[in-house]
Amino acid sequence: MAGACRKSLQSRQVGCLLIFLCLSVGGATTIRYSVAEEMESGSFVANVAKDLGLEVGKLAARGARLVSDGNKMHFRLHRKTGDLFVKEKLDRESLCGKADPCVLRFEIVLVEPLQSFSAEVRVFDINDNAPVFLNKEPLLKIPESTPLGSRFPLQSAQDLDVGLNGLQNYTLSANAYFHLHTRFRSHGPKYAELVLNKPLDREEQPEVNLTITAVDGGSPPKSGTAHIRVVVLDVNDNVPQFSRLVYRAQVPENSPNGSLVAMVTAMDLDEGTNKAITYSLAQNPEAILQTFRIDAQTGEVRLSGPLDFEAIETYDIDIQATDGGGLSAHSKVLVEVVDVNDNPPEVMVSSVSSPLPEDSPPQTVVALFTIRDRDIRVGGKVTCFLRGDLPFAVKHTFGNSYSLVTDRSLDREEVSGYNITLVAKDTGPPSLSTETVIEVLISDVNDNPPVFRKDSYILTVRENNSPAVFIGKVHAEDLDLGENAQITYSLLPPKSGDLSVFAYISINSDNGKLYALRTMDYEAIQDFQFVVKATDGGFLPLSSQVTVRVVVLDDNDNRPLILYPLQNGTLPCNDLVPRSAEAGYLVTKVVAVDGDSGQNSWLSYHLLKATDLGLFSVQRQNGEIRMLRHISERDPMMHKLIILVQDHGQPALSTTVSLNILLVDGFSEPYLQFQDPSKHSRKVNPSTKYLVISLAVLSFLFLLSVTVIFIIHVYQKIKYREKFTIQEHFYDDCNFSNNLVQGRGNGSLSQPCPYEICAATGTGNSEFRFLKRFMPNFPFPHATGDIKTEAASSLPPNSDRSKPERSADHDQVSDDYM
């Protein structure tokens, strides 16, 4: 009945340990649980969601996960239910050894938003280990003369369990010579001593066999045994005596192997071999035998292994001194391990938010981490800081937990990522530190507008171009990435609302290439400008603008236009020269203009044909026709000249002009209608007269048709040009050719200035009206300029700027132009 009650009590105790749950909220949010060791994998521990006050399913939504304080996680979390389970079977002895209590620490991290909770699970011990003697058959040699009451320490049994489940008592088998006395160590398990109750007699019984049993306090208890063999020695009257019963020493934990810990000494009053003393480490645990050694002759105790204050703080060493006769004495060396600052702080990063948007505000949490220093007693206070000037800061949250937050604004275009060096440093001495690198990438936001490479663009296109010809491109760059850096180009309508620019120019929206949609005419438009807009592809797009000016380059596509003498008149227009004219006399001047500009409008004049090539000459630069020699009696009355007017374009274009020159004796009679003297006295046949009249009428009609066609053509040519004001000049005599045009130094005009020339005959005088000038009137608003300035700049560099000569018999010609 008692056994059944005991078994029921034991089962109830184990069950209570398995389902025991303890939640404490102290200081910060630290959750504490308890479980018993040897729980199977998958065993339920607690419901974390309920303990944290969260609804079921919130853990999964917030990305909950467990972060271990060490290298291995012993539990797992069901995110949907919030239940905490054992990941694998827990063995308290392998996890914590002899340390009690055995606590496993971890953190519960919620990612969105970032938050962490500290948790502890205490693992309770169960009686799953029996006491064990390392030496199953220890041998004791005891002299027969040993006095009653002598004590002989025995080796301690080792029990991996702790508390009540650990070693509790020793029992000795029944015998007539010894009884058992149990003693406690200051640090370590209990040990037993044999106490002599009855004098030994080797002759009566040379050997005594005993059985010692070690029992723990578990339910049910477990035990281990060892068989002691006691050999009775012959008489040795004196046993060794130690100078001290207890030796004490302090050793720094960083002492190297071989360092002297203590020196023990013992003396024996016997003589001979019974006086020779040998030192040894008697019944000691395995940890002491691996850490210390003793010199058998000198009694020096030295280190044979490393010390670690964080693992074991004190050692209780049994020293045995044995003389030559087999007698022995025991003493103790208490070694206190002195803690030194030999462990740098440990940084454990539990969560990192990367990549981080560049527009994150200050105090945004970037990472969570904890700091632990094993040298709590000597390491002093641990400080944490960042190396270098970075836009981040360390913020203490609670306990040994910290967070890494942004300290100022970020800019991905300046720095696209950071390797943040986190330094944890204690105060020593000596001061130790640990560096941990946290990599944080910066993600892009659309915060940079496109930027054009130039403040403005000037492009050129030659007139008479082919439609859709490429004339240049604009280019803008965006410092952002991805879609935020994809640029689209477009043309902006002018502020005036005039959309005519879209008839001239087209732009490729992807690459900014510009194309001329139509053929350009320099004579109609010299330049124009427009605005190009570049827009990025961000969610909230940004844009910039640039002004583009297109300059039209002139081509030599206009032939020289003859202003004087007019070639489409119905009546012949003759120039009169007195026979008394000297060499160099100015006969007339050919006036021509070219609609092109620059070199394409520079004109030169050449005498192509003449009745007498040796009588007249043409000035190349200004078109003046002068006499080369005196007129002789043999020279005919009428001379016909053909003048070639040519520009300087590539290729050059030219026009020819014909004019008649009459040699007269004076200016008292009109000579506009030339009559052959040989035919003047001849009688005209009436039929010939009618034939001449018919031919004259047909010629007149033909010339009239040609004139109308020419006027229509000229009107269409100059309908976009500005009109000139009308300037009338009147001459008193018929020979107006000497002073026809008194220009600014040459006979050509650089601007396209068509003239209208009319002639009228009278009885004694002739009136001439001429020089009706039209200024160009271009439709495009940018085609402006000063006619006089451009005309002066377009003259050839070596042109003759002198005024034409005047004969004494001629009136002065006015050179005042409107």
Side-chain angles (χ1 to χ4, degrees), residues 60 163 205 264 270 424 432 469 475 554 638 671 686 735 741 768 809 812:
Q205 188 175 350
V264 297
D270 294 326
L432 300 178
V469 67
H475 182 73
D554 182 46
M638 188 180 75
Y671 289 90
N735 192 10
V741 177
F768 298 90
D809 298 329
Q812 179 72 30

Side-chain angles (χ1 to χ4, degrees), residues 67-348:
V67 178
S68 174
D69 196 17
N71 298 326
K72 188 175 183 182
M73 173 56 67
H74 301 284
F75 304 93
R76 61 183 177 87
L77 177 65
H78 194 287
R79 294 184 179 180
K80 294 184 178 180
T81 62
D83 293 335
L84 185 68
F85 300 95
V86 176
K87 187 176 182 181
E88 60 184 16
K89 183 182 291 187
L90 302 176
D91 186 4
R92 193 206 65 79
E93 286 74 24
S94 62
L95 292 175
C96 301
K98 299 295 288 184
D100 191 25
C102 179
V103 178
L104 301 179
R105 296 178 176 84
F106 59 94
E107 287 187 359
I108 303 171
V109 177
L110 305 180
V111 178
E112 297 179 358
L114 199 57
Q115 191 177 7
S116 67
F117 301 89
S118 179
E120 296 179 357
V121 177
R122 180 176 178 179
V123 182
F124 283 95
D125 181 56
I126 64 174
N127 191 24
D128 57 342
N129 292 282
V132 176
F133 289 93
L134 298 179
N135 188 357
K136 298 292 185 180
E137 295 182 358
L139 175 62
L140 294 179
K141 295 180 180 181
I142 303 176
E144 61 180 348
S145 58
T146 302
L148 298 177
S150 297
R151 298 173 181 270
F152 303 93
L154 301 176
Q155 69 169 350
S156 299
Q158 304 294 318
D159 193 341
L160 298 179
D161 295 324
V162 296
L164 292 176
N165 295 325
L167 179 63
Q168 298 297 322
N169 199 8
Y170 293 91
T171 60
L172 187 64
S173 60
N175 65 91
Y177 295 96
F178 300 94
H179 73 270
L180 203 61
H181 179 72
T182 302
R183 300 191 64 177
F184 295 88
R185 298 179 186 270
S186 60
H187 180 77
K190 297 179 180 179
Y191 69 99
E193 293 179 337
L194 288 178
V195 180
L196 186 60
N197 293 330
K198 178 182 178 180
L200 296 175
D201 187 359
R202 190 189 64 81
E203 289 73 22
E204 181 181 350
Q205 188 175 350
E207 185 173 316
V208 179
N209 294 312
L210 304 173
T211 299
I212 185 172
T213 301
V215 183
D216 62 18
S219 178
K222 295 185 177 182
S223 62
T225 60
H227 300 284
I228 303 173
R229 181 184 171 204
V230 179
V231 177
V232 180
L233 301 178
D234 200 13
V235 175
N236 185 9
D237 297 335
N238 296 286
V239 296
Q241 297 291 328
F242 282 95
S243 59
R244 297 180 186 175
L245 293 177
V246 178
Y247 295 86
R248 298 181 182 276
Q250 290 184 337
V251 183
E253 64 174 327
N254 60 348
S255 299
N257 288 345
S259 298
L260 180 63
V261 176
M263 176 177 279
V264 297
T265 57
M267 297 183 64
D268 197 313
L269 299 178
D270 294 326
E271 296 291 339
T273 58
N274 292 330
K275 187 177 182 180
I277 298 176
T278 302
Y279 300 95
S280 63
L281 299 180
Q283 310 296 329
N284 286 286
E286 186 68 21
I288 293 177
L289 298 178
Q290 293 178 354
T291 308
F292 301 94
R293 58 183 173 85
I294 189 170
D295 190 302
Q297 305 301 323
T298 63
E300 294 178 346
V301 179
R302 296 183 178 273
L303 287 177
S304 61
L307 299 176
D308 188 0
F309 175 83
E310 288 70 35
I312 302 177
E313 298 182 9
T314 59
Y315 291 91
D316 191 346
I317 307 174
D318 261 334
I319 305 297
Q320 178 175 297
T322 306
D323 61 16
L327 297 179
S328 61
H330 295 266
S331 181
K332 294 187 177 297
V333 177
L334 297 179
V335 178
E336 180 182 352
V337 180
V338 179
D339 188 21
V340 297
N341 191 32
D342 58 344
N343 292 284
E346 298 177 4
V347 178
M348 291 160 289

Side-chain angles (χ1 to χ4, degrees), residues 465-480:
N465 59 285
S466 301
V469 67
F470 171 73
I471 63 173
K473 68 178 296 185
V474 295
H475 182 73
E477 295 180 349
D478 198 311
L479 297 178
D480 295 321

Side-chain angles (χ1 to χ4, degrees), residues 648-718:
H648 287 70
Q650 295 294 331
L653 302 177
S654 63
T655 303
T656 59
V657 58
S658 299
L659 58 107
N660 295 326
I661 297 177
L662 300 180
L663 302 182
V664 297
D665 293 329
F667 295 100
S668 59
E669 295 181 0
Y671 289 90
L672 290 178
Q673 299 293 334
F674 175 74
Q675 297 179 355
D676 192 348
S678 61
K679 298 181 180 180
H680 184 69
S681 60
R682 188 181 302 175
K683 187 176 181 178
V684 178
N685 191 345
S687 61
T688 304
K689 179 178 179 180
Y690 293 130
L691 179 61
V692 170
I693 293 174
S694 299
L695 292 175
V697 171
L698 292 175
S699 299
F700 173 77
L701 294 175
F702 175 76
L703 291 177
L704 181 61
S705 301
V706 172
T707 302
V708 171
I709 294 173
F710 179 79
I711 290 174
I712 294 174
H713 175 72
V714 171
Y715 176 77
Q716 291 177 348
K717 190 73 173 179
I718 66 174

